[in-house]
Amino acid sequence: RSPQVTSEKLCRAQQELHFQAATYLCLLRSVREHEGLHREKHGKEERSPQEVAGLVGFRLPQQPGGKG
């Protein structure tokens, strides 16, 4: 980046500070989103076969004698 002349000697430090703040904000948002996705994906115990089948739109066949 080329420095700009203003009433200050150089604006580069101000621009750099703005860039670093924006970068840090992006990092914080990304970390929070990652934590939320991780909790959503790994927060539950293992699902039953019936529950998994229901998630993808299937039904498990019934066993003879009403056992399943």
Side-chain angles (χ1 to χ4, degrees):
R1 299 181 197 158
S2 62
Q4 298 173 354
V5 178
T6 63
S7 58
E8 301 174 8
K9 288 186 179 179
L10 294 174
C11 294
R12 181 180 286 181
Q14 185 178 9
Q15 291 174 350
E16 282 297 318
L17 186 61
H18 215 58
F19 175 75
Q20 288 178 354
T23 302
Y24 188 65
L25 179 61
C26 180
L27 172 71
L28 290 177
R29 286 180 178 158
S30 298
V31 167
R32 287 180 183 160
E33 184 177 349
H34 175 264
E35 288 174 348
L37 289 172
H38 188 270
R39 259 186 265 114
E40 181 181 325
K41 195 75 171 172
H42 299 285
K44 297 180 180 177
E45 294 180 13
E46 190 172 328
R47 294 182 170 143
S48 69
Q50 291 82 8
E51 189 178 1
V52 173
L55 287 173
V56 294
F58 293 116
R59 286 187 324 153
L60 295 179
Q62 297 290 325
Q63 291 182 357
K67 291 188 174 184

